[in-house]
Amino acid sequence: MITVGYGVLARLSKGVVAMVFVAFAAQAQPVTVLALGDSLTAGYGLAQDEGFVPQLEAWLKDRGVSARVINGGVSGDTSAGGAARINWALTPEVNAVVVTLGGNDLLRGIPPEETRKHLSRILTELQNRDLPALLVGLPGPANFGPDYKAAFEANFETLAAEFQVPLEPNFLAAITDTLDPADTARLYLQPDGLHPNREGVSRIVDAIGPKVLQIVPQAAVE
């Protein structure tokens, strides 16, 4: 019969404890998601806990993800603005990025090729840093004509395919695609008719959340 001395058992026990501790620490390590965007991301017009970022963080935690979501939304920001600040926005703790830019580009009639150039710069930086990303688009406006609308919307599909990132084509789809405009405005938009209210954001997060889960490192999922 083979016997094992107390010293060996003690060393083995300490080793097992250490491995369990390391595994637990790795599993409990929170993931940090940067939400890079404009007023839709920033939570314009809403209380501190009602915007896209806090509701997304709560949504992720409810699904067992140890997550912190950073609010990188700047009201009025264009894709050019996002590209200009991407380097300093990517602090060392960021593990994944949700890119939601372009709304102010279309409101200002910025040429679609300019929007594509700036979004490409952002996605290139994320790719260079090996950071997973979700690209979120918006539908093009009809008031600039069908060619502008088609080119603007094509930007997001083209870039998602080029950089091989998941795509949510329309940030607002959850509140615009199933109701007529009057009901959408009454139920889910703020009085300005542009920004979602708390209930609207909740529906948006429920729709976009599963796409965010695709870019969350599995170590953060309990």
Side-chain angles (χ1 to χ4, degrees):
M1 180 176 66
I2 299 174
T3 61
V4 180
Y6 173 79
V8 174
L9 286 174
R11 287 195 297 273
L12 286 173
S13 297
K14 289 179 181 179
V16 170
V17 170
M19 286 189 292
V20 170
F21 177 80
V22 170
F24 177 79
Q27 185 178 25
Q29 184 68 31
V31 62
T32 298
V33 179
L34 170 66
L36 183 75
D38 48 34
S39 57
L40 294 174
T41 301
Y44 175 87
L46 297 174
Q48 187 174 2
D49 63 342
E50 295 179 349
F52 176 73
V53 166
Q55 289 206 48
L56 176 60
E57 183 173 295
W59 189 95
L60 290 170
K61 289 180 177 178
D62 286 346
R63 283 151 184 81
V65 181
S66 179
R68 173 188 174 220
V69 183
I70 297 175
N71 195 335
V74 175
S75 293
D77 211 7
T78 62
S79 60
R85 60 188 172 90
I86 184 61
N87 284 325
W88 60 261
L90 291 174
T91 51
E93 69 270 22
V94 172
N95 306 114
V97 182
V98 178
V99 181
T100 307
L101 286 163
N104 290 303
D105 295 47
L106 64 85
L107 289 175
R108 301 178 188 185
I110 291 174
E113 59 269 21
E114 287 295 309
T115 301
R116 183 171 64 253
K117 178 181 72 175
H118 298 308
L119 290 175
S120 178
R121 178 180 168 186
I122 292 169
L123 293 172
T124 297
E125 185 62 31
L126 299 181
Q127 187 178 70
N128 289 342
R129 298 186 186 218
D130 199 26
L131 288 172
L134 168 65
L135 182 61
V136 183
L138 283 168
N143 54 308
F144 293 121
D147 291 342
Y148 182 99
K149 178 177 173 60
F152 183 86
E153 293 175 353
N155 279 339
F156 300 102
E157 294 182 3
T158 299
L159 289 169
E162 178 182 348
F163 289 92
Q164 297 184 336
V165 298
L167 171 67
E168 173 56 49
N170 181 2
F171 182 89
L172 299 171
I175 62 175
T176 60
D177 286 5
T178 58
L179 298 172
D180 64 50
D183 285 337
T184 295
R186 176 174 57 85
L187 295 172
Y188 300 122
L189 292 179
Q190 297 179 45
D192 64 8
L194 293 173
H195 297 91
N197 58 23
R198 179 178 61 82
E199 291 78 12
V201 172
S202 179
R203 290 175 66 92
I204 290 168
V205 167
D206 282 342
I208 293 180
K211 294 283 184 71
V212 178
L213 281 177
Q214 294 180 29
I215 65 170
V216 169
Q218 289 303 303
V221 181
E222 297 176 356

